[in-house]
CSV table of all heavy atoms in Angstrom, one decimal:
chain,number,residue,atom,x,y,z
A,332,GLY,N,218.2,177.6,-26.0
A,332,GLY,CA,216.8,177.5,-25.6
A,332,GLY,C,216.3,178.9,-25.2
A,332,GLY,O,216.9,179.9,-25.5
A,333,ILE,N,215.2,178.9,-24.6
A,333,ILE,CA,214.5,180.1,-24.2
A,333,ILE,C,213.9,180.0,-22.8
A,333,ILE,O,213.3,179.0,-22.4
A,333,ILE,CB,213.3,180.4,-25.2
A,333,ILE,CG1,213.9,180.6,-26.6
A,333,ILE,CG2,212.6,181.7,-24.8
A,333,ILE,CD1,212.8,180.7,-27.7
A,334,ILE,N,214.1,181.1,-22.0
A,334,ILE,CA,213.6,181.1,-20.6
A,334,ILE,C,212.3,182.0,-20.6
A,334,ILE,O,212.3,183.1,-21.2
A,334,ILE,CB,214.7,181.7,-19.7
A,334,ILE,CG1,215.9,180.7,-19.6
A,334,ILE,CG2,214.1,181.8,-18.3
A,334,ILE,CD1,217.1,181.4,-19.0
A,335,VAL,N,211.3,181.5,-19.9
A,335,VAL,CA,210.0,182.1,-19.9
A,335,VAL,C,209.6,182.4,-18.5
A,335,VAL,O,209.9,181.7,-17.5
A,335,VAL,CB,208.9,181.2,-20.5
A,335,VAL,CG1,207.5,181.8,-20.4
A,335,VAL,CG2,209.3,181.0,-22.0
A,336,GLU,N,208.9,183.6,-18.3
A,336,GLU,CA,208.4,183.9,-16.9
A,336,GLU,C,207.5,182.8,-16.4
A,336,GLU,O,206.6,182.3,-17.1
A,336,GLU,CB,207.7,185.2,-16.9
A,336,GLU,CG,208.6,186.4,-17.1
A,336,GLU,CD,209.6,186.6,-16.0
A,336,GLU,OE1,209.3,186.2,-14.8
A,336,GLU,OE2,210.8,186.9,-16.3
A,337,LYS,N,207.7,182.5,-15.1
A,337,LYS,CA,206.9,181.4,-14.5
A,337,LYS,C,205.4,181.6,-14.6
A,337,LYS,O,204.9,182.7,-14.3
A,337,LYS,CB,207.3,181.3,-13.0
A,337,LYS,CG,206.9,180.0,-12.3
A,337,LYS,CD,207.2,180.1,-10.8
A,337,LYS,CE,208.6,180.4,-10.5
A,337,LYS,NZ,208.9,180.3,-9.0
A,338,GLY,N,204.7,180.6,-15.1
A,338,GLY,CA,203.2,180.7,-15.1
A,338,GLY,C,202.6,181.3,-16.4
A,338,GLY,O,201.4,181.4,-16.5
A,339,ASN,N,203.5,181.8,-17.3
A,339,ASN,CA,203.0,182.5,-18.5
A,339,ASN,C,202.9,181.5,-19.6
A,339,ASN,O,203.9,181.4,-20.4
A,339,ASN,CB,203.9,183.7,-18.8
A,339,ASN,CG,203.3,184.7,-19.8
A,339,ASN,OD1,202.5,184.2,-20.7
A,339,ASN,ND2,203.5,185.9,-19.6
A,340,VAL,N,201.8,180.9,-19.8
A,340,VAL,CA,201.6,179.9,-20.8
A,340,VAL,C,201.6,180.5,-22.2
A,340,VAL,O,202.1,179.9,-23.2
A,340,VAL,CB,200.3,179.1,-20.6
A,340,VAL,CG1,200.0,178.1,-21.7
A,340,VAL,CG2,200.3,178.4,-19.3
A,341,GLU,N,201.2,181.7,-22.3
A,341,GLU,CA,201.2,182.4,-23.6
A,341,GLU,C,202.7,182.6,-24.1
A,341,GLU,O,203.0,182.4,-25.3
A,341,GLU,CB,200.5,183.8,-23.5
A,341,GLU,CG,200.4,184.5,-24.8
A,341,GLU,CD,199.6,185.8,-24.7
A,341,GLU,OE1,198.8,185.9,-23.8
A,341,GLU,OE2,199.8,186.7,-25.5
A,342,GLN,N,203.5,183.0,-23.2
A,342,GLN,CA,205.0,183.1,-23.5
A,342,GLN,C,205.6,181.8,-23.8
A,342,GLN,O,206.4,181.6,-24.7
A,342,GLN,CB,205.7,183.8,-22.3
A,342,GLN,CG,205.6,185.3,-22.2
A,342,GLN,CD,206.6,185.9,-21.2
A,342,GLN,OE1,207.5,185.2,-20.7
A,342,GLN,NE2,206.3,187.1,-20.8
A,343,LEU,N,205.1,180.8,-23.1
A,343,LEU,CA,205.6,179.4,-23.3
A,343,LEU,C,205.3,179.0,-24.7
A,343,LEU,O,206.2,178.4,-25.4
A,343,LEU,CB,204.9,178.5,-22.2
A,343,LEU,CG,205.6,177.1,-22.0
A,343,LEU,CD1,206.9,177.2,-21.3
A,343,LEU,CD2,204.6,176.2,-21.2
A,344,LEU,N,204.1,179.2,-25.1
A,344,LEU,CA,203.7,178.8,-26.5
A,344,LEU,C,204.4,179.6,-27.5
A,344,LEU,O,204.9,179.0,-28.5
A,344,LEU,CB,202.2,179.1,-26.6
A,344,LEU,CG,201.5,178.6,-27.9
A,344,LEU,CD1,201.7,177.1,-28.1
A,344,LEU,CD2,200.1,179.0,-28.0
A,345,HIS,N,204.7,180.9,-27.3
A,345,HIS,CA,205.4,181.7,-28.2
A,345,HIS,C,206.9,181.2,-28.3
A,345,HIS,O,207.4,181.2,-29.4
A,345,HIS,CB,205.4,183.2,-27.7
A,345,HIS,CG,206.1,184.1,-28.6
A,345,HIS,ND1,207.4,184.5,-28.5
A,345,HIS,CD2,205.6,184.8,-29.8
A,345,HIS,CE1,207.7,185.4,-29.5
A,345,HIS,NE2,206.7,185.5,-30.3
A,346,ALA,N,207.5,180.9,-27.2
A,346,ALA,CA,208.8,180.3,-27.2
A,346,ALA,C,208.9,179.1,-28.0
A,346,ALA,O,209.9,178.8,-28.8
A,346,ALA,CB,209.3,180.1,-25.8
A,347,ILE,N,207.9,178.2,-27.8
A,347,ILE,CA,207.9,176.9,-28.6
A,347,ILE,C,207.8,177.2,-30.1
A,347,ILE,O,208.5,176.6,-30.9
A,347,ILE,CB,206.7,176.0,-28.1
A,347,ILE,CG1,207.0,175.6,-26.7
A,347,ILE,CG2,206.5,174.8,-29.0
A,347,ILE,CD1,205.8,174.9,-26.0
A,348,LYS,N,206.9,178.1,-30.5
A,348,LYS,CA,206.8,178.5,-31.9
A,348,LYS,C,208.0,179.1,-32.5
A,348,LYS,O,208.4,178.9,-33.6
A,348,LYS,CB,205.6,179.4,-32.0
A,348,LYS,CG,204.2,178.7,-31.8
A,348,LYS,CD,203.0,179.6,-32.1
A,348,LYS,CE,201.7,178.9,-32.0
A,348,LYS,NZ,200.6,179.8,-32.1
A,349,THR,N,208.8,179.9,-31.6
A,349,THR,CA,210.0,180.5,-32.1
A,349,THR,C,211.0,179.4,-32.5
A,349,THR,O,211.7,179.5,-33.5
A,349,THR,CB,210.6,181.4,-31.0
A,349,THR,OG1,209.7,182.5,-30.7
A,349,THR,CG2,212.0,182.0,-31.4
A,350,ILE,N,211.1,178.4,-31.6
A,350,ILE,CA,212.0,177.3,-31.9
A,350,ILE,C,211.5,176.5,-33.1
A,350,ILE,O,212.3,176.1,-34.0
A,350,ILE,CB,212.1,176.4,-30.6
A,350,ILE,CG1,213.0,177.1,-29.6
A,350,ILE,CG2,212.8,175.0,-31.0
A,350,ILE,CD1,213.1,176.4,-28.3
A,351,GLN,N,210.2,176.3,-33.2
A,351,GLN,CA,209.6,175.6,-34.4
A,351,GLN,C,210.0,176.4,-35.7
A,351,GLN,O,210.3,175.7,-36.7
A,351,GLN,CB,208.1,175.5,-34.2
A,351,GLN,CG,207.5,174.7,-35.3
A,351,GLN,CD,206.0,174.5,-35.1
A,351,GLN,OE1,205.4,175.1,-34.2
A,351,GLN,NE2,205.4,173.5,-35.8
A,352,ASN,N,209.9,177.7,-35.7
A,352,ASN,CA,210.2,178.5,-36.9
A,352,ASN,C,211.6,178.4,-37.2
A,352,ASN,O,212.0,178.4,-38.4
A,352,ASN,CB,209.7,179.9,-36.7
A,352,ASN,CG,208.2,180.0,-36.6
A,352,ASN,OD1,207.5,179.2,-37.1
A,352,ASN,ND2,207.7,181.1,-35.9
A,353,ARG,N,212.5,178.5,-36.2
A,353,ARG,CA,213.9,178.4,-36.5
A,353,ARG,C,214.4,177.0,-36.9
A,353,ARG,O,215.3,176.8,-37.7
A,353,ARG,CB,214.7,178.8,-35.3
A,353,ARG,CG,214.7,180.3,-35.0
A,353,ARG,CD,215.4,180.6,-33.7
A,353,ARG,NE,215.4,182.1,-33.4
A,353,ARG,CZ,215.8,182.6,-32.3
A,353,ARG,NH1,216.2,181.8,-31.3
A,353,ARG,NH2,215.8,183.9,-32.1
A,354,GLY,N,213.7,176.0,-36.4
A,354,GLY,CA,214.1,174.6,-36.6
A,354,GLY,C,215.0,174.1,-35.6
A,354,GLY,O,215.9,174.8,-35.1
A,355,LYS,N,214.9,172.8,-35.3
A,355,LYS,CA,215.8,172.2,-34.2
A,355,LYS,C,217.2,172.3,-34.6
A,355,LYS,O,218.1,172.5,-33.8
A,355,LYS,CB,215.4,170.8,-34.0
A,355,LYS,CG,216.2,170.0,-33.0
A,355,LYS,CD,215.7,168.6,-32.8
A,355,LYS,CE,216.6,167.9,-31.8
A,355,LYS,NZ,216.1,166.5,-31.6
A,356,SER,N,217.5,172.2,-35.9
A,356,SER,CA,218.9,172.2,-36.4
A,356,SER,C,219.6,173.5,-36.1
A,356,SER,O,220.9,173.5,-36.0
A,356,SER,CB,218.9,171.9,-37.9
A,356,SER,OG,218.2,172.9,-38.6
């Protein structure tokens, strides 16, 4: 997974997209 600085929604969204691009597998 990925750890994001507290309260940074932009980083949160970027982390989600990183996982989406790599794929759950």
Side-chain angles (χ1 to χ4, degrees):
I333 300 172
I334 297 166
V335 174
E336 287 300 323
K337 194 188 304 185
N339 194 324
V340 177
E341 187 176 332
Q342 281 189 16
L343 196 68
L344 185 64
H345 182 265
I347 292 168
K348 287 182 176 178
T349 298
I350 288 175
Q351 185 175 13
N352 291 335
R353 287 176 175 170
K355 181 179 178 179
S356 59

